[in-house]
Amino acid sequence: MSMPSMWMVPRLDRFEASHPDLDLRVSATARLVDFADDGIDLAVRYGEGRYPGLHVDLLMEEVVTPVCSPMLIQKEGSIIRVEDLAQHTLLHDDGAIIPGSNLVWSNWLAAAGCPGLELKRGPHFSDAHLTVQAAMGGRGIMLGRSVLIAEELRNGSLVAPLDIRLPARLAYYLVCPHEMLNTAKVAAFRDWILKETRNDQTL
């Protein structure tokens, strides 16, 4: 099973408490798994939702907005308009370079109506977790993905200074082979995660 670990792992105790007879094996990988060869029952995929030959459930849509630590705003000044971003260091998640998405600064700024905004150079990170850590440490401003930073927004370690939430154009989907859909273990996890995602829409 593949899933953004920052979202799912803290919630697994609730599933385990209600299903003590089931043992989970969680695998976080960017590789597209083969259900038969890899022995995988369920997977979470991030994309446009077209997965021929599989049962597909929409888990969570995602929105994207600039986020940073509160101390960065105290130190470097308020961010009121999109144009104010040009005065700050922007953090870049190289793992989010997905064609057609709003997960990188150039695409997000174009969608926000500022395609020609001159950006200050900033550090690049290989994945979202490292980018989040840098943002919380006051290194700069990152494009926050609602699913991945929900807890940081709740506890105040990150804030979203602009009231602009743009769709990522991609979403998280739960997929499995049709023949696995009604097996007890798949049905139990599917019911649980669908309830979790319905109750946890952030941003």
Side-chain angles (χ1 to χ4, degrees):
M1 177 169 38
S2 174
M3 181 71 179
S5 58
M6 286 183 285
W7 181 89
M8 189 179 69
V9 170
R11 296 163 172 78
L12 286 179
D13 59 337
R14 294 199 283 265
F15 176 79
E16 292 168 338
S18 58
H19 298 280
D21 55 321
L22 295 179
D23 291 323
L24 287 174
R25 178 168 61 91
V26 180
S27 174
T29 176
R31 182 177 62 85
L32 200 62
V33 299
D34 183 290
F35 288 92
D37 291 344
D38 296 333
I40 301 296
D41 299 317
L42 289 159
V44 175
R45 292 184 176 167
Y46 188 62
E48 298 177 342
R50 296 191 292 271
Y51 305 108
L54 297 174
H55 176 84
V56 180
D57 290 300
L58 173 65
L59 284 181
M60 291 180 285
E61 296 178 317
E62 194 165 50
V63 297
V64 187
T65 192
V67 297
C68 61
S69 72
M71 65 180 176
L72 184 138
I73 292 179
Q74 294 173 359
K75 178 181 177 182
E76 299 187 11
S78 298
I79 303 167
I80 300 172
R81 305 172 304 146
V82 175
E83 290 81 0
D84 294 336
L85 294 170
Q87 308 305 316
H88 294 268
T89 298
L90 303 185
L91 308 176
H92 304 270
D93 175 8
D94 288 345
I97 301 175
I98 303 173
S101 75
N102 280 332
L103 304 180
V104 295
W105 281 109
S106 57
N107 292 359
W108 191 91
L109 289 168
C114 295
L117 189 65
E118 184 175 347
L119 306 181
K120 293 179 66 175
R121 294 180 60 187
H124 289 246
F125 300 90
S126 62
D127 61 42
H129 179 71
L130 294 175
T131 317
V132 169
Q133 294 298 311
M136 290 194 300
R139 294 281 310 275
I141 302 171
M142 70 172 288
L143 277 177
R145 298 165 55 182
S146 56
V147 172
L148 300 184
I149 61 165
E151 182 59 31
E152 287 76 16
L153 289 174
R154 276 194 287 266
N155 64 31
S157 55
L158 290 176
V159 295
L162 294 175
D163 190 25
I164 302 175
R165 277 80 168 132
L166 297 178
R169 299 178 182 161
L170 304 173
Y172 292 94
Y173 296 89
L174 183 70
V175 301
C176 72
H178 291 286
E179 62 270 20
M180 294 294 297
L181 184 61
N182 293 319
T183 61
K185 58 183 178 179
V186 166
F189 191 84
R190 177 174 174 264
D191 289 346
W192 171 78
I193 198 170
L194 288 174
K195 290 176 183 175
E196 286 288 319
T197 55
R198 281 196 295 268
N199 294 332
D200 190 10
Q201 299 298 322
T202 306
L203 272 179

